[in-house]
Amino acid sequence: MQIAKVRGTVVSTHKTRSLTGVKLLLLQFVDADGQLLPKYEVAGDTVGAGIDEWVLVSRGGAARIDDGYHHRPLDAMVVGIIDTVSVDNRQLYSKKGENRV
């Protein structure tokens, strides 16, 4: 899994039927220092993540393990909304907004 920040939403009115009803988010990945990387990815969202939240992203085949998603063409899925991230006893992120990047 990787950590990413939700930067926006992606709307696609013309897509494969298996993606109907799947919320798509634009994510920007975060490094171990809490800095945003120049890498973006579109991911499906089943947990209801919002803009500026930090999330856990599952990629590849593991992204489709959740119920009802194994036949959908998804390479990445948001599987959790992060409350806090700490590294070496230093808080990098808190959902309460104190340390947001």
Side-chain angles (χ1 to χ4, degrees):
M1 281 191 280
Q2 291 182 286
I3 294 175
K5 181 177 181 177
V6 179
R7 302 299 283 181
T9 59
V10 176
V11 177
S12 174
T13 55
H14 298 288
K15 59 187 169 233
T16 184
R17 270 187 256 175
S18 65
L19 288 179
T20 299
V22 177
K23 180 181 172 185
L24 300 173
L25 298 176
L26 179 64
L27 307 177
Q28 185 174 10
F29 290 100
V30 178
D31 70 13
D33 293 321
Q35 299 301 308
L36 294 171
L37 297 170
K39 183 177 179 187
Y40 291 81
E41 186 160 0
V42 175
D45 174 36
T46 60
V47 297
I51 305 295
D52 290 334
E53 287 188 302
W54 282 26
V55 294
L56 290 173
V57 182
S58 180
R59 299 174 77 199
R64 294 181 295 275
I65 290 176
D66 201 20
D67 289 341
Y69 284 84
H70 56 279
H71 292 297
R72 297 180 190 225
L74 293 166
D75 290 328
M77 181 71 74
V78 174
V79 296
I81 299 171
I82 295 172
D83 295 314
T84 61
V85 176
S86 299
V87 176
D88 295 329
N89 294 321
R90 181 175 61 96
Q91 190 172 61
L92 293 182
Y93 170 80
S94 171
K95 187 173 178 174
K96 293 180 181 178
E98 299 165 0
N99 298 313
R100 285 192 168 181
V101 173

